[in-house]
Amino acid sequence: GDFNYWLDSPAKASNREDQVRLHSMLSLLSNGFLLPLVPYNPWVDIKEEDASIRLVEKAVDEFGCVGVKIYPPMGYYPYGNASSKLDSPEPRPKDLTLLDAKLAALYELCDSMKIPVMAHGNDSGGRDAAHDELAGPAGWAALQRKVPALTRLFVNVGHFGGEHEHPSGDWTDRFVELMKREGRLRIYGDLGHWNELAAGSTKVVEKLARVLATRLPGNETVADRVMYGSDWTILSREPQWQSYPDAIASIVRDMNLPEATRKVFGENVLNCYGLSKA
């Protein structure tokens, strides 16, 4: 991820292009088993004259990146910053209208290049509770209400809102409501770091079964929009992390939802990232 200018810090934490080049090399060494994403940070574009979006274009054209990753808990909603408050003393860009304009430009570029945007979608990873909230459905709902010049932008919500309810409601259910609103956003989710799901929590398993069976427009269900995920580097700190993929696969298989296992563990990610043969 691109964490430069974290909390408006003037210091650079890392060289973004070097990161992308390294991941491109790892992809080649893996014979395409690993397909990298390129990070985007609107704060960088404000402070460095669009350096971040230029790297996105270069990474897709030259380095084989198949999508873009954004991390809203760093201090921005995915959209609607100019009209949304943040109850935190931490600094933010002074011109929130410009922040939205930079994000809109990213979405328009991704739409034109036919690559998806992956975004952290759980209430975690921020400087404080207010920053955690930035990853929720509110920013994407704002984008649905006032879509820039998009044809159809694909979005993967990492962690799919998380396995638990939040103070502002169940984020997973709220992301499902966004899926139901057909338009220029096609929203997916992944099951990254649903640790209690893997542990077999009855409440969480029942929640996922209900969610996956939920009907969407166009003869789809949510099972057509959810993919496996792990968030491996964080998950590896948990007990029995090695069994996470098998545990999730077994749980989805036992739900008796038509073709859900095939969709969640292959078809949906290929469709979201434009990698299917169709």
Side-chain angles (χ1 to χ4, degrees):
D2 185 345
F3 302 113
N4 289 312
Y5 303 110
W6 177 265
L7 302 177
D8 208 24
S9 168
K12 291 185 181 181
S14 60
N15 185 293
R16 299 177 298 277
E17 185 164 336
D18 283 351
Q19 288 184 14
V20 175
R21 287 180 181 273
L22 175 59
H23 281 84
S24 178
M25 292 174 64
L26 291 172
S27 179
L28 291 172
L29 290 171
S30 73
N31 291 319
F33 180 80
L34 169 68
L35 296 175
L37 305 183
V38 53
Y40 174 80
N41 182 346
W43 286 36
V44 171
D45 274 359
I46 290 173
K47 293 174 176 291
E48 298 184 27
E49 298 181 349
D50 293 334
S52 192
I53 198 168
R54 290 199 305 270
L55 178 60
V56 167
E57 192 164 13
K58 185 175 183 179
V60 175
D61 287 341
E62 300 181 21
F63 300 146
C65 290
V66 298
V68 176
K69 173 69 181 290
I70 63 173
Y71 205 81
M74 285 184 60
Y76 57 90
Y77 288 96
Y79 200 68
N81 290 275
S83 57
S84 301
K85 295 182 179 179
L86 181 65
D87 187 19
S88 172
E90 300 293 346
R92 300 182 73 197
K94 294 180 180 179
D95 189 343
L96 297 180
T97 301
L98 180 58
L99 183 60
D100 281 338
K102 297 301 183 184
L103 288 162
L106 171 73
Y107 301 145
E108 290 168 3
L109 176 65
C110 291
D111 185 44
S112 67
M113 299 181 78
K114 300 188 184 307
I115 57 172
V117 175
M118 179 181 180
H120 183 81
N122 193 19
D123 66 341
S124 60
R127 173 65 177 82
D128 51 29
H131 280 78
D132 290 346
E133 286 285 322
L134 294 171
W140 296 110
L143 184 61
Q144 278 192 330
R145 289 192 298 269
K146 189 177 181 181
V147 180
L150 303 176
T151 302
R152 203 173 201 197
L153 178 68
F154 283 54
V155 174
N156 172 31
V157 177
H159 312 289
F160 198 26
E163 55 196 335
H164 301 296
E165 288 193 13
H166 306 76
S168 57
D170 190 299
W171 282 10
T172 304
D173 285 342
R174 290 173 61 192
F175 279 121
V176 170
E177 291 304 310
L178 297 183
M179 289 178 175
K180 291 179 180 179
R181 301 174 195 169
E182 284 195 314
R184 297 177 187 175
L185 288 186
R186 183 170 175 84
I187 294 178
Y188 288 75
D190 71 49
L191 300 177
H193 210 161
W194 278 39
N195 202 44
E196 290 192 22
L197 172 65
S201 164
T202 300
K203 182 178 181 180
V204 178
V205 171
E206 290 177 349
K207 169 184 173 176
L208 181 61
R210 171 184 57 80
V211 167
L212 291 179
T214 302
R215 304 296 306 179
L216 298 176
N219 201 33
E220 286 187 319
T221 66
V222 174
D224 292 285
R225 302 284 191 88
V226 174
M227 64 193 81
Y228 170 76
S230 69
D231 197 14
W232 182 83
T233 56
I234 304 299
L235 184 71
S236 62
R237 303 174 185 175
E238 304 286 353
Q240 306 299 318
W241 62 267
Q242 299 95 329
S243 64
Y244 187 81
D246 292 335
I248 301 297
S250 177
I251 288 166
V252 173
R253 191 180 300 116
D254 290 345
M255 289 178 181
N256 295 316
L257 297 172
E259 302 182 330
T261 305
R262 175 178 58 81
K263 293 174 181 177
V264 172
F265 284 86
E267 184 175 303
N268 293 344
V269 69
L270 296 177
N271 290 338
C272 179
Y273 284 85
L275 302 172
S276 60
K277 293 181 180 179

